[in-house]
Amino acid sequence: MGGIAKIFGSVGRQVLGFLVQLSRITHLAMDTVYWVFVAPFKGKGLRWKSTVEQMVRIGYESIPIVTLIAFFVGLIIAMQAAYQLERFGATLFVADLVAVSITRELAPLLTAIVIAGRSGSAITAEIGTMQVSEEIDALKTMGFNPIKFLVVPKTLAMLIMLPTLTVIADLLGILGGYAISMSTIEVTSPRYINQTIQSLGFQDLFSGLVKSVFFALIIANIGCYEGFNVAGGAEGVGKSTTRSVVASIFLIIVADVFFTGLFYSTF
């Protein structure tokens, strides 16, 4: 009987801890939405200079790794599709498969995972270091709101740059498929390009960009939340950074499943 009580007690503590964290994350998200979309209309302004700096760190500096990954993924998808479709004499449809899979699914998902590992962890480490060194308490003492000062520029930069990087990944992924098709498949360049244009619709681009917007919110919110909740010095910063990346990637995949199902039943 005591063992059963311990099991239920452990489960209860885990559930309670999860609900507490969910409540705190929701509170942080609501505060961020207020400072991004409501406060500027009340004369409280936005820190555009800091936002631009974050856009450079999150977006511009991530272009090389995002483009390389997208290009190679396009190569891989084209090779695998050609191997299967060649049996049926339908290698022309490699263009359809590459274009649709890249724009709808792979470009937003892989870009978000890369940014979660690269920039989400950096956000957590930066805010976590400030938390450990009591710089955030100093900001409050001087009358600065930590949400406006730290979270809003990072969130705005993420909302702007992740969809932009997704569009770049779309182009490079399709280019990768084009490159492998031109070298291994007997399809002319004009036919491949026309087939790609015909296969893509507004809904394909739209669904990928909508996903990227929500992925951006997840990465920024989780990264900031874990940074604000660092405890235990440098070791705590490392643990929070790890939790931030793991939680972001998990929630990105969950959100991707949700939106894929939604768009599948809608479009």
Side-chain angles (χ1 to χ4, degrees):
M1 194 71 180
I4 296 176
K6 288 182 179 180
I7 293 173
F8 279 102
S10 176
V11 172
R13 284 190 294 271
Q14 294 291 334
V15 172
L16 183 61
F18 171 76
L19 292 176
V20 169
Q21 289 199 11
L22 182 62
S23 174
R24 292 175 179 174
I25 292 173
T26 303
H27 183 70
L28 175 62
M30 293 176 64
D31 284 347
T32 304
V33 168
Y34 169 80
W35 283 102
V36 172
F37 298 106
V38 179
F41 296 100
K42 295 184 177 181
K44 297 181 180 179
L46 293 171
R47 300 181 65 240
W48 286 112
K49 182 178 179 181
S50 180
T51 301
V52 172
E53 292 176 356
Q54 292 296 325
M55 288 171 64
V56 172
R57 294 179 188 174
I58 294 170
Y60 177 75
E61 295 179 1
S62 299
I63 289 176
I65 184 64
V66 169
T67 53
L68 278 175
I69 289 176
F71 184 78
F72 287 133
V73 167
L75 290 176
I76 294 168
I77 295 297
M79 284 189 286
Q80 295 290 350
Y83 175 74
Q84 296 296 329
L85 294 174
E86 191 176 12
R87 304 177 182 181
F88 307 100
T91 50
L92 179 62
F93 292 102
V94 169
D96 299 63
L97 194 149
V98 170
V100 174
S101 62
I102 288 290
T103 54
R104 272 184 173 262
E105 189 68 31
L106 294 175
L109 181 62
L110 292 176
T111 303
I113 290 174
V114 170
I115 297 302
R118 186 187 182 279
S119 300
S121 59
I123 290 172
T124 301
E126 179 184 344
I127 296 178
T129 302
M130 295 180 69
Q131 179 73 19
V132 169
S133 60
E134 299 182 351
E135 292 181 47
I136 293 178
D137 292 333
L139 287 175
K140 294 178 181 178
T141 302
M142 291 186 292
F144 292 104
N145 185 292
I147 304 298
K148 177 184 178 181
F149 194 83
L150 297 173
V151 178
V152 170
K154 294 174 174 56
T155 303
L156 275 176
M158 193 71 72
L159 284 171
I160 295 170
M161 296 312 299
L162 191 57
T164 303
L165 289 172
T166 299
V167 172
I168 295 173
D170 288 340
L171 296 175
L172 267 294
I174 293 172
L175 181 61
Y178 172 83
I180 201 68
S181 298
M182 292 302 99
S183 60
T184 60
I185 302 174
E186 295 181 358
V187 178
T188 62
S189 178
R191 288 190 66 193
Y192 189 93
I193 294 173
N194 289 334
Q195 190 70 19
T196 300
I197 294 172
Q198 292 175 10
S199 65
L200 284 178
F202 171 76
Q203 67 273 16
D204 301 314
L205 299 173
F206 176 77
S207 61
L209 290 177
V210 169
K211 287 181 181 181
S212 67
V213 169
F214 282 91
F215 294 164
L217 291 173
I218 289 171
I219 295 169
N221 200 33
I222 295 297
C224 294
Y225 171 78
E226 290 293 347
F228 281 121
N229 287 276
V230 167
E235 183 181 356
V237 174
K239 291 180 179 179
S240 291
T241 302
T242 301
R243 286 198 302 268
S244 170
V245 175
V246 172
S248 295
I249 292 175
F250 173 75
L251 291 175
I252 285 168
I253 294 174
V254 171
D256 184 59
V257 171
F258 171 77
F259 283 108
T260 298
L262 177 65
F263 291 133
Y264 179 78
S265 61
T266 304
F267 295 138

